[in-house]
Amino acid sequence: MGEVAETYIVDDALISLGFGKYQALILVYSGVAYAAEAMEVMILSFIGSAVQSKWNLSPHEKSLIASVVFAGMLVGAYSWGVVSDYFGRRQGFLFTALVTSVVGFVSSFSPNYISLVILRFFVGIGLGGGPVLFSWFLEFVPAPNRGAWMVVFSFFWSIGTILEASLAWAVMPTLGWRWLLALSSLPSFLLLVFYTITPESPRYLCSKGRKSDALLVLQRMARMNRKPLPSGELVSDRNWGSDELDENANGSAVTHAAHASRAETSFTKDVSSKVKCVGSLYKLLSRKLLRTTLLLWIGFFGNAFTYYGVILLTSGLSDGGCGVTKKDKVGTRLYKDVFITSLAEFPGLLLSAVIVDRIGRKFTVALMLFGTFAFLIPLVSHYRELTTTVLLFCARICITGSITTLSIYAPEVYPTSVRSTGYGTANSVGKIGGIVSPIVAVGLIDGCHQTAAVLLFAGIIIATAVGVLFFPIETKGSSLKDSVDSLVTSVPESKPAALN
């Protein structure tokens, strides 16, 4: 009997190399993209009233400007996820950067309402690539402190919201909404400038059988971080190929169950190769992933509906709500209140960073949702501006922590083979919440139905929190998986981390 050669997987390499300069550069690049996405979303808080005044729009037409962006993100999140899972993470975020930057800039020249709506829809398609960058960065981070670093990554979203609120405060009163659209598209151009030096995810390369390319990336990481790679040969997920090993060990005898399993796998691969979008969705709704996928969809819908609702409630109540003329609505009060509540994202991220690796992803999301409910429910009654701003500030702290933690959990719970697609699809369902939220937050507030709007948000928050508590797997401290079959080991591996 010869000696068995030592092997290691990408997770082992990342733990050995630690979080160093290499990951810091990845963090900055993907973080700029995340901040750019946040800026494009935050625009919706500012341009609605200005465009409404310019083109004499109805409240429904005003809310449609925001809804079409989320509709585009719904299409883009799934589409770019499929692209990145089949053609690489780099290909995915290249196209998203191109679409977002170019169309975002062109939209500033919109001659009328219809053209603005169409162009902002395509901006939304580009923005849908956000999950690709999230998954890309995630796959470079060592497992032991992955939760904390993903929260650090989420800080860039908050930076983007603060930058956009500051930019709007400076630009809107003097230069107008067209300049705000043009200037807000510039960060996306930075992604194109530095695209050629960005590496492909070594985990993605390894899962596609390109182990030599993955090793080159890990070797560059080792040189920059000044730490050695583990000894032995780089392999894909150790659970891959177990069926083949069992067959070799037992001769040619194969059970009926094994034949059935391989037939199912062959069918999945055949469908995937012919119709990739359908094949990816088939995997997400397979027996092993069905519960996770459906509950994640509920979680993302509720979180996105509430998050964007809190933002739009802030601008809606600052506008003066019902009974206030369009001319009176545009003023520094809007920029001030949105800027103040945007600052709430930082304590929200800090709070989630402190507890996410301690109590786990599931309980962090649920706790934050219940906190959001507690601060929103008093708004069924009308209060003075200061009290309303404080309540919305605290609600935004909690919903920021919730949606951030959920965005960490989603790519962790899916295997590499469908990680971007799974996260992107869940994000797409969240965008449905984003589409509906402006209609509720803007339409009901403008129609003097603040109590009804708040009660609807409260009901969705509670339903979402209950769904989150039924998530089947806790990913705290567990390694990322490469295949659907390897998910059966997720629960046992996470137990030791939970006990420490």
Side-chain angles (χ1 to χ4, degrees):
M1 296 290 291
E3 291 186 2
V4 178
E6 282 189 58
T7 61
Y8 66 91
I9 59 176
V10 173
D11 267 315
D12 299 328
L14 293 177
I15 292 173
S16 177
L17 299 177
F19 193 99
K21 293 180 180 179
Y22 196 90
Q23 283 91 343
L25 293 176
I26 299 294
L27 171 63
V28 171
Y29 185 89
S30 56
V32 169
Y34 209 40
E37 179 182 348
M39 292 178 70
E40 291 288 354
V41 171
M42 279 297 294
I43 285 176
L44 307 178
S45 299
F46 304 110
I47 67 170
S49 294
V51 173
Q52 184 181 31
S53 298
K54 179 177 177 60
W55 288 326
N56 195 28
L57 305 178
S58 67
H60 173 72
E61 289 173 322
K62 172 187 172 184
S63 63
L64 187 62
I65 298 172
S67 294
V68 295
V69 175
F70 294 114
M73 293 173 77
L74 186 155
V75 175
Y78 179 70
S79 302
W80 301 130
V82 172
V83 169
S84 71
D85 278 337
Y86 282 95
F87 302 105
R89 312 309 193 212
R90 294 180 77 248
Q91 294 295 322
F93 60 71
L94 169 63
F95 291 115
T96 63
L98 277 171
V99 173
T100 304
S101 58
V102 174
V103 182
F105 183 77
V106 171
S107 69
S108 65
F109 298 97
S110 302
N112 51 49
Y113 171 74
I114 297 298
S115 62
L116 177 64
V117 167
I118 294 173
L119 289 171
R120 296 312 294 179
F121 171 78
F122 283 102
V123 170
I125 291 179
L127 293 176
V132 176
L133 282 149
F134 205 98
S135 298
W136 180 63
F137 175 66
L138 177 80
E139 293 175 356
F140 284 93
V141 182
N145 53 1
R146 191 169 58 230
W149 277 112
M150 295 312 295
V151 173
V152 172
F153 172 80
S154 299
F155 266 95
F156 283 90
W157 178 279
S158 299
I159 291 171
T161 62
I162 298 298
L163 286 175
E164 189 62 31
S166 304
L167 187 63
W169 202 343
V171 171
M172 286 287 287
T174 54
L175 299 176
W177 60 272
R178 293 185 185 276
W179 276 93
L180 184 64
L181 289 178
L183 293 174
S184 298
S185 68
L186 295 181
S188 295
F189 282 104
L190 292 177
L191 302 181
L192 302 176
V193 173
F194 295 100
Y195 171 78
T196 55
I197 63 173
T198 57
E200 182 57 90
S201 161
R203 181 179 294 279
Y204 169 83
L205 292 170
C206 210
S207 71
K208 293 297 182 181
R210 298 166 57 185
K211 289 188 288 187
S212 58
D213 292 333
L215 186 60
L216 288 175
V217 176
L218 292 173
Q219 287 171 343
R220 287 196 293 268
M221 190 186 304
R223 289 193 295 271
M224 188 170 290
N225 290 1
R226 296 182 179 179
K227 290 187 178 180
L229 283 168
S231 59
E233 178 187 357
L234 175 66
V235 297
S236 297
D237 192 312
R238 292 193 182 102
N239 293 285
W240 283 28
S242 58
D243 290 342
E244 287 80 356
L245 290 175
D246 290 341
E247 181 179 348
N248 290 338
N250 297 320
S252 59
V254 183
T255 65
H256 175 73
H259 276 303
S261 175
R262 285 172 190 164
E264 180 181 355
T265 302
S266 176
F267 172 74
T268 302
K269 289 181 178 179
D270 184 57
V271 172
S272 298
S273 63
K274 293 179 180 178
V275 189
K276 292 180 178 178
C277 291
V278 175
S280 296
L281 190 59
Y282 178 86
K283 290 180 182 178
L284 297 179
L285 298 177
S286 64
R287 180 176 56 83
K288 288 185 179 179
L289 292 176
L290 180 62
R291 179 182 171 188
T292 297
T293 296
L294 294 181
L295 288 175
L296 271 177
W297 288 359
I298 293 172
F300 270 89
F301 177 90
N303 270 272
F305 183 91
T306 306
Y307 177 81
Y308 295 117
V310 169
I311 292 175
L312 294 168
L313 275 176
T314 304
S315 64
L317 296 176
S318 297
D319 277 349
C322 65
V324 180
T325 65
K326 294 170 191 168
K327 183 177 180 180
D328 293 334
K329 287 184 178 184
V330 182
T332 57
R333 175 182 168 185
L334 167 63
Y335 310 123
K336 180 188 69 175
D337 287 352
V338 174
F339 179 83
I340 291 172
T341 54
S342 295
L343 293 174
E345 303 233 341
F346 290 108
L349 290 169
L350 287 173
L351 183 59
S352 58
V354 169
I355 64 177
V356 68
D357 282 327
R358 288 177 169 81
I359 69 173
R361 283 45 162 163
K362 291 168 54 176
F363 292 112
T364 299
V365 174
L367 180 64
M368 294 292 190
L369 284 171
F370 286 124
T372 306
F373 172 85
F375 289 114
L376 272 187
I377 199 65
L379 290 174
V380 294
S381 300
H382 295 267
Y383 294 95
R384 293 181 178 179
E385 179 188 356
L386 177 60
T387 304
T388 299
T389 302
V390 169
L391 288 171
L392 288 171
F393 183 91
C394 294
R396 188 145 173 193
I397 288 176
C398 295
I399 194 60
T400 296
S402 175
I403 199 168
T404 298
T405 307
L406 186 64
S407 296
I408 295 171
Y409 178 83
E412 286 182 334
V413 79
Y414 282 118
T416 302
S417 58
V418 291
R419 178 165 295 122
S420 288
T421 304
Y423 180 29
T425 304
N427 221 279
S428 291
V429 175
K431 302 317 173 192
I432 298 175
I435 295 169
V436 178
S437 194
I439 299 172
V440 174
V442 177
L444 290 180
I445 292 298
D446 284 354
C448 302
H449 300 296
Q450 178 177 330
T451 298
V454 172
L455 287 176
L456 180 58
F457 281 115
I460 289 178
I461 290 169
I462 293 298
T464 305
V466 172
V468 166
L469 291 174
F470 282 96
F471 282 168
I473 298 172
E474 173 55 63
T475 59
K476 181 190 73 170
S478 63
S479 60
L480 298 179
K481 305 302 174 185
D482 285 332
S483 67
V484 175
D485 289 338
S486 66
L487 292 177
V488 295
T489 63
S490 296
V491 176
E493 284 192 15
S494 64
K495 286 181 180 178
L499 294 173
N500 286 338

